[in-house]
Amino acid sequence: MMRNLRKIALLAFLLLGAVTGYHYVYAQNFLDTKPTMQFTIPASFGLLVTIYQQAGNTVFWFEAEDGTLRRVLMDGTGNFELEVWSITRQ
């Protein structure tokens, strides 16, 4: 009788864990499906060298394989400026 009670208690504990874990996974999945900002920076800009804040904007610097440096600016609202600085090197 005591052995059956232990099995039932273990089963109830595992079931409770499964239900609790399910809600946690559901919450995580919900957070992961929230809309996010999407943007594209051309791969030809090269590798991202640095990112920093400047007066409420975010500045991205890239270096291409040919040595060209490019500055991409994202404003405080999350939109990229259309003007990209390009510095060529010889």
Side-chain angles (χ1 to χ4, degrees):
M1 181 73 170
M2 187 63 132
R3 189 177 208 141
N4 288 338
L5 188 56
R6 285 184 183 172
K7 285 182 180 179
I8 292 172
L10 178 62
L11 181 61
F13 178 75
L14 293 174
L15 183 60
L16 181 63
V19 170
T20 303
Y22 174 75
H23 287 292
Y24 175 74
V25 171
Y26 179 78
Q28 289 295 102
N29 288 342
F30 174 75
L31 292 175
D32 292 342
T33 59
K34 289 168 79 173
T36 58
M37 177 183 62
Q38 296 182 0
F39 54 88
T40 302
I41 295 174
S44 63
F45 280 19
L47 295 176
L48 178 63
V49 177
T50 189
I51 302 173
Y52 59 88
Q53 292 293 122
Q54 180 182 34
N57 299 319
T58 304
V59 181
F60 300 81
W61 280 97
F62 295 87
E63 183 175 11
E65 287 184 20
D66 66 356
T68 301
L69 299 172
R70 289 184 177 86
R71 187 193 86 148
V72 178
L73 184 70
M74 183 172 64
D75 66 21
T77 63
N79 296 315
F80 283 96
E81 296 289 326
L82 298 177
E83 180 181 334
V84 174
W85 292 4
S86 180
I87 302 170
T88 57
R89 298 166 64 189
Q90 297 178 358

